Amino acid sequence: MKLSPLYILLIFILLSACGTPERSIKRGDAAMAIGEYCEAAAQYKKGYSRIPPTDRKRRGEVAYKMGDAFRRYGNTARALGAFRNAARYGQNDTLTQFYIGELLRMQGDYRGAEKAYQTYLDSFPSDERARQMLQSLSEATGIKERGSAYTVKMETMFSGSRSDYAPAYNGDEATTLYFSTTRPAVTGSDLSGITGMKPGDIYMVRKDEKGKWKSPEPVEGGLNTENDEGATAFSSDGKTMYLTVCRTDPQYPRMAEIWTSQRADAGWGKPAALKITADTLSSYAHPAPSPDGRWLYFTSDMPGGYGGTDLWRARMDAHGVGSIENLGPEINTEGNECFPAFRPSGELYFSSDGRTPSLGGLDLYRAKQDTITEHWTVVHLPAPMNSPADDFGITFEGWHNRGYFSSNRSTGGRGWDKIYSFSYPEVLQTVKGWVYEQDGYELPEALVYIVGNDGTNEKLSVKSDGSFEMAVTPGVDYLLLATCKGYLNFRNNLHADSLEVEHQHVLQFPLPSINVPVLVRNVFYEFDKADLTPESTAALDRLTNMLKENPNVTIELAAHCDYRGNDDYNLRLSQRRAESVVRYLTEHGIEAERLTAKGYGETVPKIVNKKLLETYPFLHEGDTLTVPYILALPADQQEVCNALNRRTEFRVLRTTYGLFDEHGNLLLKPEGKKEEE
């Protein structure tokens, strides 16, 4: 029988269609292998549609792959439909029901999620994570119903037509906000095979003179490229940006990298890759420098973790990246931990889909590390901070409990992220202090210990400018002790008043050096006498407290005169003045053996240091204020120099007072073995 051309064409189409599914499926597998989840989902969908309904096994397999691809790039609605098709075709010997439970939980359908988890556990009863998620569902309902005092709203002015996520303030003043976006105006032209959107760029938004946000704009400098850039964070001084970069490669998986850029006057400089390890097959993303700048926290799937992605940290110093450590099982789970961020207090915030309690996908958590035991305490943020969807990428406005985060809670399961503002009712009190060398500059290596009568016991590292800041509780008494190697300790006391308005307490911590003479400011004597004036009391009380805080220190208390007057008379006058200060100190509880009075008259003129130039720019660093030097100056400048020479100062003689007996034996004894409880 002769076949008609139309019949032959139909046979050809049918035969071609039979080969099409496998070709599409193979393309989907290849896309999955390099992390192009959107492209993979599209190919699996095409292949699935070409598989005859009678081939139930193959349909179930491809539906499962399609669901996994949709799930990986955040399209929960389509992922759920695909996994349900996989279950319908009998694909239940895998994670199908587990993923259905996860996706229903992300949609807030806790009853449906419970059924799916239970079905999965019927087949895989040893899966502890599924059991934890099942147990958490009833708790999730209670969390949603309880709510909290947080106010959360989507910020439409930041929002483009696609994803906007990972907001980050730069600086405590909170006048500039950076975020990542895939809006159509970004630099890249091609759609990402990972998300189906353009690769991300970094945008920024500034406040105007009235404190209102202006329109978002691309970040200045050469940071935005054809690559995917996002998830920024900043050093405490605001001069270094850390960012996540995912470079395009059509042949290999897209491994995220951490890059850095330095702030110049005109904008951000050309970024450079920060090498965390030599492992090129792992991703490194979501950088977050600790407030003290000593650690860089980040997300990675490198070997040695506990699950999908873990939180790690790398020690940072002048030479770059040092030792690397995993944050351990108190933070990390079998799921994914990501997007670390810090408050100025040192509290760590992150997102996880593997912890309980949980409301859904990625939930926000707060973690605080005990400075003594180094153990972490983790707290789940309440609703509406968390939702059944993904909540991540948080940033705080200084010490305030307000700021921004990102979530895909209101985008219909399509995986688009938006920026949300949050705030919590508060009357904020803070203490801000500066630790610096007395008569010198900041001490960035200093530590500050803070103890309160409410049980507070904190150890803070200062920033590069020697400053620190901490929230305090109204009505609490605090003791703050600043320490630094090579310097004596300095203490301040603080009472946080029960105020109903915001307030910042400001404290100074001038640390005396143990290696050079230290000026005792504001010590005054009666004219041409050794008698201390009442105005000297505050300065001498501070000196008394400093000696009590450093009980193993002995000092020489020195008094100096200017050149005017008889040399012998000046020596005797300065000696009497030094003795007057020593007498004051002993009368206020300082052992006499710790004090040596020495009058130098005019024999040791002041040497000009760099700090002194800030007040008296007519001087020169390293100059000695001798008589010929002073007499060569104008009259008004001469008087300044004479005043600088008339000074009271001390220098440390020993730091071992009271540590040894008369035979030179150390008085300190080892602690005995403690009895076991």
Side-chain angles (χ1 to χ4, degrees):
M1 180 178 75
K2 186 177 180 182
L3 300 176
S4 69
L6 179 60
Y7 189 72
I8 295 173
L9 179 61
L10 289 172
I11 294 175
F12 177 78
I13 292 173
L14 290 171
L15 291 173
S16 300
C18 292
T20 300
E22 294 307 318
R23 187 161 48 253
S24 298
I25 294 164
K26 287 181 179 180
R27 288 173 177 171
D29 292 342
M32 283 290 286
I34 60 173
E36 290 191 342
Y37 305 124
C38 182
E39 174 64 21
Q43 292 295 332
Y44 290 140
K45 184 179 180 181
K46 185 184 296 184
Y48 176 85
S49 67
R50 303 280 176 101
I51 299 173
T54 54
D55 192 350
R56 297 180 57 83
K57 184 175 184 302
R58 191 58 173 150
R59 272 215 153 193
E61 292 172 348
V62 177
Y64 178 88
K65 290 184 175 184
M66 180 172 41
D68 193 29
F70 279 127
R71 178 187 68 87
R72 288 176 182 267
Y73 81 88
N75 196 323
T76 57
R78 291 188 174 182
L80 179 59
F83 281 124
R84 279 173 165 167
N85 281 335
R88 184 161 60 91
Y89 285 109
Q91 194 70 16
N92 286 313
D93 58 343
T94 58
L95 291 169
T96 300
Q97 291 295 333
F98 177 85
Y99 287 142
I100 290 175
E102 292 286 271
L103 293 163
L104 288 172
R105 190 164 62 97
M106 292 177 68
Q107 293 186 350
D109 183 358
Y110 296 147
R111 187 181 297 272
E114 180 180 4
K115 183 179 179 181
Y117 283 133
Q118 190 57 66
T119 301
Y120 174 77
L121 285 168
D122 290 342
S123 300
F124 303 93
S126 62
D127 193 320
E128 188 60 31
R129 186 184 175 195
R131 193 168 302 280
Q132 289 178 353
M133 295 303 170
L134 178 61
Q135 293 172 351
S136 74
L137 290 175
S138 58
E139 189 174 5
T141 301
I143 293 171
K144 285 184 66 178
E145 291 175 350
R146 286 194 300 272
S148 70
Y150 280 99
T151 300
V152 172
K153 67 174 184 178
M154 188 169 72
E155 292 297 327
T156 55
M157 68 166 297
F158 296 157
S159 299
S161 58
R162 290 296 184 266
S163 285
D164 303 283
Y165 62 97
Y169 277 117
N170 182 13
D172 294 337
E173 296 183 358
T175 57
T176 306
L177 185 74
Y178 293 77
F179 64 95
S180 307
T181 182
T182 61
R183 59 189 62 196
V186 298
T187 304
S189 56
D190 297 332
L191 296 182
S192 168
I194 303 173
T195 64
M197 295 178 280
K198 285 188 174 183
D201 272 1
I202 302 170
Y203 270 51
M204 61 185 296
V205 59
R206 294 185 176 98
K207 285 184 177 178
D208 60 22
E209 61 277 2
K210 296 181 179 180
K212 302 295 184 180
W213 291 115
K214 298 190 273 186
S215 298
E217 57 185 320
V219 66
E220 69 273 21
L223 294 180
N224 293 325
T225 68
E226 295 283 332
N227 298 322
D228 201 338
E229 294 95 9
T232 60
F234 302 88
S235 59
S236 59
D237 61 7
K239 297 179 180 179
T240 301
M241 175 193 291
Y242 297 86
L243 64 152
T244 304
V245 176
C246 189
R247 289 186 279 185
T248 301
D249 192 320
Q251 303 298 324
Y252 298 97
R254 285 27 170 197
M255 302 302 176
E257 304 168 297
I258 294 174
W259 288 46
T260 63
S261 174
Q262 302 302 316
R263 181 76 180 183
D265 291 338
W268 293 100
K270 184 178 180 181
L274 181 67
K275 187 177 181 180
I276 305 294
T277 72
D279 178 7
T280 60
L281 298 178
S282 300
S283 287
Y284 307 87
H286 313 158
S290 60
D292 60 14
R294 291 179 168 85
W295 294 94
L296 180 68
Y297 288 66
F298 60 94
T299 304
S300 180
D301 59 356
M302 74 173 86
Y306 292 84
T309 59
D310 278 13
L311 296 190
W312 300 71
R313 68 178 187 177
R315 186 176 291 277
M316 304 294 290
D317 55 32
H319 305 290
V321 178
S323 60
I324 297 172
E325 59 188 53
N326 188 286
L327 295 196
E330 292 177 337
I331 296 292
N332 294 311
T333 68
E334 294 181 10
N336 297 289
E337 280 68 49
C338 51
F339 289 95
F342 282 95
R343 293 186 74 175
S345 61
E347 289 179 313
L348 171 67
Y349 287 73
F350 66 96
S351 291
S352 172
D353 62 6
R355 303 188 69 88
T356 56
S358 169
L359 290 182
L362 290 171
D363 271 25
L364 288 160
Y365 296 83
R366 179 180 69 248
K368 188 173 184 179
Q369 189 176 32
D370 188 287
T371 57
I372 306 297
T373 65
E374 296 188 347
H375 289 304
W376 291 93
T377 301
V378 181
V379 176
H380 179 255
L381 269 60
M385 291 296 290
N386 280 314
S387 72
D390 288 329
D391 305 291
F392 61 98
I394 195 167
T395 188
F396 289 86
E397 184 182 326
W399 280 85
H400 295 280
N401 198 358
R402 61 177 182 250
Y404 299 91
F405 69 99
S406 38
S407 176
N408 61 3
R409 62 183 64 184
S410 302
T411 57
R414 292 174 290 182
W416 295 351
D417 306 311
K418 301 298 177 184
I419 294 175
Y420 291 75
S421 64
F422 71 91
S423 62
Y424 190 88
E426 60 181 346
V427 178
L428 182 66
Q429 282 197 63
T430 62
V431 56
K432 186 165 187 177
W434 279 268
V435 185
Y436 55 93
E437 180 184 3
Q438 188 164 323
D439 297 323
Y441 293 91
E442 63 274 357
L443 294 171
E445 300 301 318
L447 295 173
V448 179
Y449 295 84
I450 304 175
V451 179
N453 61 1
D454 65 340
T456 298
N457 197 326
E458 299 283 348
K459 180 177 71 174
L460 303 180
S461 298
V462 303
K463 298 179 181 179
S464 59
D465 63 352
S467 71
F468 69 91
E469 191 172 4
M470 176 179 164
V472 294
T473 303
V476 175
D477 294 318
Y478 295 91
L479 183 148
L480 299 93
L481 181 71
T483 70
C484 190
K485 185 178 181 181
Y487 298 85
L488 301 183
N489 301 332
F490 193 95
R491 180 179 70 181
N492 271 305
N493 291 292
L494 171 67
H495 176 73
D497 296 327
S498 298
L499 302 174
E500 295 183 359
V501 295
E502 293 186 0
H503 181 70
Q504 184 174 78
H505 306 272
V506 179
L507 299 175
Q508 306 287 335
F509 295 82
L511 303 194
S513 172
I514 62 175
N515 300 312
V516 297
V518 178
L519 179 68
V520 185
R521 297 182 181 275
N522 300 319
V523 175
F524 307 104
Y525 308 92
E526 298 287 351
F527 178 71
D528 206 26
K529 295 180 180 178
D531 300 326
L532 292 163
T533 68
E535 292 80 9
S536 304
T537 300
L540 294 178
D541 286 346
R542 287 194 294 269
L543 180 58
T544 301
N545 291 333
M546 185 275 294
L547 290 170
K548 290 179 178 180
E549 293 156 13
N550 300 271
N552 303 119
V553 167
T554 65
I555 66 169
E556 177 190 87
L557 201 293
H560 302 264
C561 298
D562 59 33
Y563 69 85
R564 291 173 293 192
N566 179 274
D567 291 352
D568 183 61
Y569 176 82
N570 283 339
L571 278 172
R572 287 185 282 112
L573 177 62
S574 62
Q575 181 66 33
R576 295 200 312 272
R577 287 179 169 179
E579 291 170 354
S580 292
V581 176
V582 167
R583 188 162 49 251
Y584 184 97
L585 297 175
T586 57
E587 290 172 353
H588 288 77
I590 305 301
E591 299 93 327
E593 309 89 78
R594 299 177 59 192
L595 307 170
T596 301
K598 178 67 174 178
Y600 286 92
E602 62 184 90
T603 62
V604 186
K606 181 77 170 178
I607 299 175
V608 179
N609 59 29
K610 185 177 180 180
K611 185 68 174 178
L612 206 57
L613 300 182
E614 296 179 6
T615 307
Y616 307 107
F618 68 88
L619 299 173
H620 300 89
E621 186 177 2
D623 287 350
T624 303
L625 304 184
T626 60
V627 176
Y629 182 97
I630 295 174
L631 293 177
L633 298 172
D636 58 333
Q637 296 178 1
Q638 289 185 29
E639 183 50 41
V640 169
C641 293
N642 284 327
L644 293 173
N645 276 334
R646 297 190 302 269
R647 65 196 190 277
T648 302
E649 58 190 18
F650 71 88
R651 65 183 180 94
V652 176
L653 299 178
R654 291 194 294 140
T655 58
T656 57
Y657 175 81
L659 295 179
F660 301 90
D661 63 18
E662 65 272 17
H663 305 294
N665 299 313
L666 187 65
L667 293 173
L668 299 176
K669 303 296 182 183
E671 294 184 4
K673 182 179 179 181
K674 296 181 179 179
E675 295 184 3
E676 296 183 3
E677 296 181 357

